[in-house]
Amino acid sequence: MGGGQGKAANGSEYLDACDHTPIFRCFDGLDSAEQSQQFKEQVASFFHRQSIPAGASVFDHKVGRRDLVIVEKGGLTMVSCHGEDKTHKKDRPVIKHVQQGEMMGMMELVRNVEQERDTSTGEYPVDVVADAKTHVLVLSQDVYLDQLVANRDHAACRLFCDNLMGLTRAAIVNWLKKVVVLRDVAEKALEELADVAHFQSMPADTVLIEQHAKVPRLYVVLSGVLKVTCEASSKSPRDRAGDTGAVEVGQLLAGDFFGESSLLNAADKDQGLAPISSTASVTTASECLFIYFESDAMKESLLKLPDVKEKIQGYIKDRLSAQLVAMNLGLFNSMRPASIALFTADLSIVNLSDGDVVFEKDSEGDDFYIIIEGAVKIEDGENLHVALSRKGDYFGEVALVRSEPRAATVTATAPTSLARVRGSNFQSLCLQSPSVAAEFEIKALGTKASVGALLLHPSTAPLLKKTLDDEFSSENYHCWGMVEEYRGKIDTGAPAAETYALAKQIRDRFITTDTEELINISAKADKHVKKYFADVDEGDPKPPRDLYDPVLKCISNNLRGNLQRFCVTKEYKAVLASFDTYTPRGRKKK
């Protein structure tokens, strides 16, 4: 066996510092103490000793960035030097200390950690300096590969290399156990993942993933902080013409993972489908260390771990929901957090290639779609030609709102990813959140939207109320608002006595009154309300939710003329333009 480099190799001379480390424990318990000692000395002879002056970098003294280092005497400090001026190296942030008897660089030696240079200086962002004059023992990667790994037929080399591989695998498994989706995975499965893991270190201010770019890897954060940003979404076509900047939607810390979109191929690459694009950008906010998995290797591993794949898909839905909300999309403007949670409860991802059909005209309307990435065209074969290409654009609500077949065919015009919400969930949301239902109704029906939708949506309500004030019809929308409040109390389980008191207040203010707030209702509606109050047992009122439905129908009829005049105003047309509305028989909006 050959020896190390630097000073003359002397295994017995170096063994005192090496022997107590985990990398030499593989030689304990051999057949004889003599053989154990012999093997230790043989491997120790591959190390070389270096003396590092106080304050000097080890990398300036025959130590490589992929070498294993054992501190024989003194101490080392790993520091951050991101973006620093070479002439000012004081007060650099400390990453960790390595004391006498400790070692560093085992992962770099065995797993070949990829280290990126700082783009602002061209230098590596991390340095290791001596606290005082320090003696270290070094196993260079070249010697490890050329004289230890290459001579595995020798028992001492084989035991040592196998032990290093086992130690690094165990370290990776311990890191993976900190990842939420991997906590319950069996040790053997984690070891299989560890065998296909790669390492990478990155300086601060490095963009790892750009929004809209394809993501080839799944990353696990070992150390450092990253920020997640999304392009800000505009609310009007005019805004969309300019750069709206980015919105920070979260941070990633040790134990978090990202790049999961690399695992969401609709089919294998040989079928012509690539991974979906990233829904956000990820940038390092400090020096970071990662484990990463190439998508093909990870997907093969996940075939054996269906529970993990399901958890990852769950996290994807949660992150997508958070990103859509942070983008301030009009879709969520009037949703409560509970409604958003309901809306995305069974959200699934649909991946399409250019030319794939989402749904055909005249097919049954089952689902609602939001664009995550890509573009679609909407055509009815006649005069409807709409292109949607902005993240957050949505479609499919017309058939669900109207309970009728699809009015147009929707086709992907680029590699596209869609968030799909089941129609039943969409309709539940509309029932539980009237203001959200109003958004969909106004977009789907335009100038034919109901008075209820116009009075409930935050963009149209103040405009319509002003119109009604000008035409002396304010009592109608006041009554409408109180009835909606009454319905809301019932939906949220308010005490029956409280709901009954509000029901009486509505009756006394708008129905059985001789003031100017008396609303014009039919005899049938009047009889319906009076019958309830005549029959009710005031000790247990329990008023029904539909008590005032006939009254609302009359109010809608009362305001028919007002609505027709309101829907042609420039203010209402501006609201419709902000929704990117289209009608099944309309033309593309300009």
Side-chain angles (χ1 to χ4, degrees):
M1 292 177 65
Q5 61 183 359
K7 294 185 179 181
N10 186 336
S12 60
E13 178 185 353
Y14 297 161
L15 192 55
D16 286 344
C18 294
D19 193 16
H20 72 281
T21 63
I23 59 176
F24 272 71
R25 290 175 188 161
C26 58
F27 300 120
D28 295 337
L30 294 181
D31 291 341
S32 68
E34 182 180 354
Q35 184 186 42
S36 174
Q37 182 71 12
Q38 180 185 5
F39 279 9
K40 288 180 180 181
E41 290 182 3
Q42 287 174 345
V43 172
S45 70
F46 287 95
F47 287 76
H48 69 275
R49 178 181 287 124
Q50 288 296 142
S51 178
I52 316 295
S57 170
V58 298
F59 303 123
D60 293 334
H61 292 77
K62 298 183 180 180
V63 177
R65 291 184 176 271
R66 293 176 178 173
D67 294 349
L68 174 67
V69 175
I70 299 173
V71 178
E72 187 178 26
K73 182 179 181 182
L76 302 174
T77 299
M78 181 183 291
V79 296
S80 169
C81 45
H82 167 62
E84 72 176 12
D85 183 340
K86 289 186 178 180
T87 61
H88 297 87
K89 294 188 176 182
K90 294 182 178 180
D91 302 322
R92 297 189 294 187
V94 173
I95 298 175
K96 70 175 182 179
H97 295 285
V98 184
Q99 305 295 337
Q100 182 171 319
E102 296 178 343
M103 65 180 185
M104 61 180 293
M106 180 178 68
M107 198 65 68
E108 286 80 357
L109 178 82
V110 178
R111 288 305 186 108
N112 205 23
V113 176
E114 301 168 23
Q115 300 184 12
E116 299 292 329
R117 293 179 184 269
D118 190 330
T119 55
S120 64
T121 63
E123 301 293 333
Y124 288 103
V126 174
D127 197 5
V128 179
V129 297
D131 299 336
K133 185 176 181 180
T134 300
H135 297 289
V136 297
L137 298 180
V138 182
L139 175 61
S140 75
Q141 190 180 63
D142 288 342
V143 170
Y144 168 71
L145 294 175
D146 296 342
Q147 300 189 47
L148 287 168
V149 175
N151 290 293
R152 286 177 55 85
D153 54 334
H154 191 285
C157 294
R158 183 174 62 255
L159 285 172
F160 183 74
C161 292
D162 287 347
N163 187 39
L164 281 181
M165 290 296 295
L167 290 172
T168 55
R169 181 188 293 114
I172 297 171
V173 167
N174 286 334
W175 279 324
L176 293 178
K177 286 179 179 178
K178 297 177 183 178
V179 181
V180 176
V181 294
L182 299 176
R183 285 176 181 168
D184 300 326
V185 175
E187 189 91 3
K188 184 177 180 180
L190 289 179
E191 289 178 353
E192 292 181 6
L193 287 178
D195 288 338
V196 296
H198 302 269
F199 285 81
Q200 188 173 38
S201 67
M202 285 284 185
D205 301 326
T206 301
V207 179
L208 266 75
I209 296 176
E210 291 188 359
Q211 190 172 349
H212 311 304
K214 302 302 181 185
V215 182
R217 300 169 173 175
L218 175 74
Y219 291 85
V220 175
V221 184
L222 298 183
S223 64
V225 179
L226 301 97
K227 61 181 179 180
V228 182
T229 57
C230 289
E231 294 176 359
S233 181
S234 310
K235 294 185 180 181
S236 69
R238 180 182 301 175
D239 291 336
R240 289 173 203 152
D243 180 14
T244 55
V247 177
E248 185 169 339
V249 297
Q251 288 188 333
L252 298 170
L253 306 173
D256 290 330
F257 66 92
F258 61 97
E260 63 276 3
S261 59
S262 65
L263 307 179
L264 296 180
N265 291 27
D268 292 334
K269 290 181 180 178
D270 58 8
Q271 295 181 341
L273 295 176
I276 69 172
S277 300
S278 173
T279 60
S281 296
V282 180
T283 306
T284 57
S286 67
E287 286 77 20
C288 295
L289 179 64
F290 311 97
I291 295 174
Y292 74 81
F293 301 90
E294 298 292 356
S295 60
D296 289 343
M298 189 63 174
K299 281 186 289 186
E300 186 175 340
S301 298
L302 289 179
L303 291 176
K304 307 172 186 177
L305 302 169
D307 292 345
V308 175
K309 186 173 182 179
E310 184 177 345
K311 288 181 180 179
I312 289 176
Q313 290 173 334
Y315 272 80
I316 292 172
K317 291 194 294 185
D318 292 343
R319 286 180 178 174
L320 177 60
S321 300
Q323 290 171 15
L324 290 176
V325 173
M327 300 297 284
N328 198 27
L329 301 175
L331 172 64
F332 296 119
N333 280 352
S334 52
M335 286 193 194
R336 298 187 302 270
S339 297
I340 295 173
L342 170 67
F343 190 70
T344 58
D346 67 340
L347 181 147
S348 59
I349 307 297
V350 179
N351 301 314
L352 304 168
S353 292
D354 186 359
D356 286 351
V357 175
V358 183
F359 54 73
E360 298 272 7
K361 180 181 176 181
D362 296 324
S363 62
E364 185 177 353
D366 295 324
D367 301 313
F368 171 74
Y369 298 88
I370 305 171
I371 294 178
I372 302 172
E373 183 71 27
V376 300
K377 63 180 179 181
I378 303 173
E379 298 178 309
D380 68 351
E382 298 176 18
N383 60 356
L384 177 65
H385 304 281
V386 175
L388 301 178
S389 60
R390 185 172 62 99
K391 178 177 178 178
D393 282 340
Y394 56 87
F395 59 91
E397 78 285 357
V398 175
L400 297 172
V401 169
R402 292 183 169 184
S403 298
E404 62 185 26
R406 300 291 191 188
T409 296
V410 178
T411 308
T413 56
T416 298
S417 301
L418 304 173
R420 178 172 60 194
V421 178
R422 287 186 304 161
S424 57
N425 212 29
F426 173 94
Q427 290 165 338
S428 297
L429 174 68
C430 291
L431 291 175
Q432 295 194 21
S433 181
S435 59
V436 175
E439 166 100 9
F440 295 125
E441 182 179 334
I442 292 171
K443 179 177 176 181
L445 304 182
T447 58
K448 295 183 180 180
S450 68
V451 63
L454 297 174
L455 284 173
L456 287 171
H457 195 277
S459 296
T460 57
L463 299 175
L464 178 57
K465 289 177 180 179
K466 183 179 184 304
T467 298
L468 297 179
D469 286 340
D470 293 343
E471 299 190 13
F472 304 102
S473 296
S474 58
E475 71 280 356
N476 288 283
Y477 75 72
H478 288 152
C479 181
W480 195 288
M482 290 188 68
V483 171
E484 288 300 325
E485 180 185 355
Y486 163 82
R487 286 171 157 180
K489 286 185 178 294
I490 293 177
D491 291 343
T492 56
E498 182 180 327
T499 309
Y500 178 72
L502 181 55
K504 286 183 64 177
Q505 186 180 351
I506 295 170
R507 180 199 64 177
D508 296 343
R509 180 174 173 181
F510 300 107
I511 299 174
T512 60
T513 181
D514 55 3
T515 70
E516 293 183 355
E517 290 195 298
L518 176 67
I519 58 174
N520 182 22
I521 63 174
S522 66
K524 183 177 180 181
D526 184 62
K527 182 178 180 181
H528 173 82
V529 174
K530 287 180 177 178
K531 183 177 187 305
Y532 165 74
F533 283 101
D535 295 345
V536 71
D537 176 6
E538 293 198 22
D540 185 22
K542 294 183 181 177
R545 189 180 189 278
D546 62 356
L547 173 61
Y548 286 111
D549 282 6
V551 174
L552 294 183
K553 184 176 180 180
C554 292
I555 290 177
S556 183
N557 290 331
N558 295 345
L559 299 178
R560 190 178 304 276
N562 305 92
L563 290 179
Q564 290 175 346
R565 291 188 290 276
F566 171 72
C567 287
V568 297
T569 62
K570 62 180 182 180
E571 290 82 7
Y572 183 59
K573 289 180 179 179
V575 172
L576 293 184
S578 71
F579 289 161
D580 276 346
T581 58
Y582 58 88
T583 58
R585 293 290 180 262
R587 295 181 182 275
K588 180 179 178 180
K589 291 191 67 65
K590 296 182 180 179

